[in-house]
Amino acid sequence: MSYDLDETLRRWLAEDLGRGDVTTRVSLAAGARARGTLLAKTPLVVAGLDIAARVFALLDDRIVFEAACTVGDRLEAGTPVARVEGPAAPLLAGERLALNLLQHLCGVATLTRTYVDAVAGTRARILDTRKTLPGLRRLEKEAVLAGGGVNHRHGLDDGILLKDNHLALGGGLEEALRRAVERRPHGLRIEVEVSSPDEAERALAAGADMLLLDNMSLADLRETVRRVDGRTPLEASGGVDLTTVRAIAETGVDFISVGRLTHSAPAADINLKFHPVPA
């Protein structure tokens, strides 16, 4: 899928600006300039710096955006994220969109890092899902990487994942998988959702390249890991939160997918205070 980031940002800016920033137009002197600091108000992991910078650049190329950290950094409360300086009107016009995106993407990265830390020392890696906000998938998945996670499919076109509905509508596990093996585009692996150790063995025998272990108990996860014995990667999914993820990781699965990384990440708290700069 082609993705024109600038065009997307322009649409989002247009949604906010409408016919223009009337408040700024009636309250600021012509030619006013400003500088400001984007400041972390709580601990966070950094993501989305380039997106925030681009918002301001699209409004006025005279704006200077200077990052004070790099993507993936952990920041403590009170730490600068970036500094901006330039004409005051476009700075105020871009403030809300830049902050909205930066706060959300840092929130995704921060939550991802929390899950990654929770499984440290195990073999499990944290995966994202397609449970993303429309229009933000690319950016959210980049934020997951910034937090130390791993991207699953970016869309329906870059991987085959036979889930329960595909299996039900495709004639059952073996029939749907047989058809997928025959028809798959070159280079695409086939992952199959299973709900028991027995189903896992059936899927593996029928040609699955990876197994999604859906809502299995810890005992069933351990049994599936034992039976599969490294023959194919195993992804655990369902019932995953910060109270359960460590125990799931300790069963020996290779991946744990967490939808809440993108659909429920709380926004990081970042503010932006401007000060006038003499013309």
Side-chain angles (χ1 to χ4, degrees):
M1 179 187 75
S2 62
Y3 185 89
D4 187 330
L5 178 60
D6 281 1
E7 180 58 31
T8 299
L9 292 175
R10 287 190 183 99
R11 288 199 307 270
W12 290 340
L13 282 166
E15 176 185 56
D16 200 26
L17 287 169
R19 290 173 293 176
D21 180 1
V22 63
T23 306
T24 296
R25 188 169 67 243
V26 302
S27 63
L28 267 64
R33 293 180 57 81
R35 70 167 60 101
T37 300
L38 293 102
L39 195 70
K41 302 294 287 183
T42 56
L44 58 82
V45 174
V46 178
L49 286 173
D50 57 333
I51 307 304
R54 194 62 189 153
V55 169
F56 290 116
L58 288 173
L59 287 165
D60 194 314
D61 61 10
R62 294 172 294 173
I63 293 174
V64 175
F65 184 99
E66 181 182 312
C69 53
T70 59
V71 168
D73 283 353
R74 296 180 193 246
L75 301 186
E76 295 301 320
T79 306
V81 178
R83 297 177 179 87
V84 290
E85 182 172 339
L91 282 171
L92 289 169
E95 173 190 6
R96 186 70 272 148
L97 179 60
L99 274 175
N100 284 350
L101 290 170
L102 188 63
Q103 288 174 319
H104 175 62
L105 297 175
C106 286
V108 171
T110 302
L111 184 61
T112 301
R113 185 67 60 83
T114 303
Y115 275 86
V116 169
D117 289 346
V119 302
T122 72
R123 67 184 297 161
R125 303 191 71 187
I126 299 298
L127 279 175
D128 58 20
T129 70
R130 286 172 42 246
K131 296 175 182 177
T132 55
L133 296 176
L136 286 174
R137 179 169 298 173
R138 170 183 163 183
L139 305 184
E140 289 178 339
K141 283 183 171 283
E142 289 175 355
V144 167
L145 295 178
V150 178
N151 293 157
H152 205 294
R153 296 184 297 173
H154 282 261
L156 292 171
D157 61 342
D158 65 351
I160 299 168
L161 175 52
L162 300 175
K163 302 196 74 176
D164 52 355
N165 284 330
H166 300 94
L167 301 179
L169 298 175
L173 189 154
E174 281 82 6
E175 179 61 17
L177 183 49
R178 178 195 63 77
R179 197 177 291 117
V181 169
E182 290 178 354
R183 297 177 178 177
R184 68 171 152 189
H186 177 71
L188 289 188
R189 70 180 181 188
I190 300 174
E191 184 174 5
V192 182
E193 179 181 301
V194 296
S195 58
S196 70
D198 289 342
E199 280 190 0
E201 288 196 306
R202 286 168 53 201
L204 197 56
D209 301 307
M210 184 171 176
L211 300 178
L212 171 61
L213 314 182
D214 182 54
N215 281 295
M216 285 192 190
S217 67
L218 294 176
D220 278 351
L221 288 173
R222 285 190 289 268
E223 177 62 12
T224 303
V225 169
R226 185 189 69 79
R227 293 193 197 182
V228 171
D229 193 27
R231 287 177 290 165
T232 196
L234 300 176
E235 171 191 347
S237 179
V240 182
D241 59 32
L242 287 171
T243 69
T244 61
V245 68
R246 180 76 191 188
I248 293 170
E250 288 174 345
T251 66
V253 295
D254 302 285
F255 300 98
I256 303 173
S257 53
V258 187
R260 70 185 66 235
L261 298 183
T262 49
H263 71 59
S264 297
D269 190 357
I270 302 169
N271 75 0
L272 173 53
K273 296 294 185 183
F274 288 119
H275 304 281
V277 175

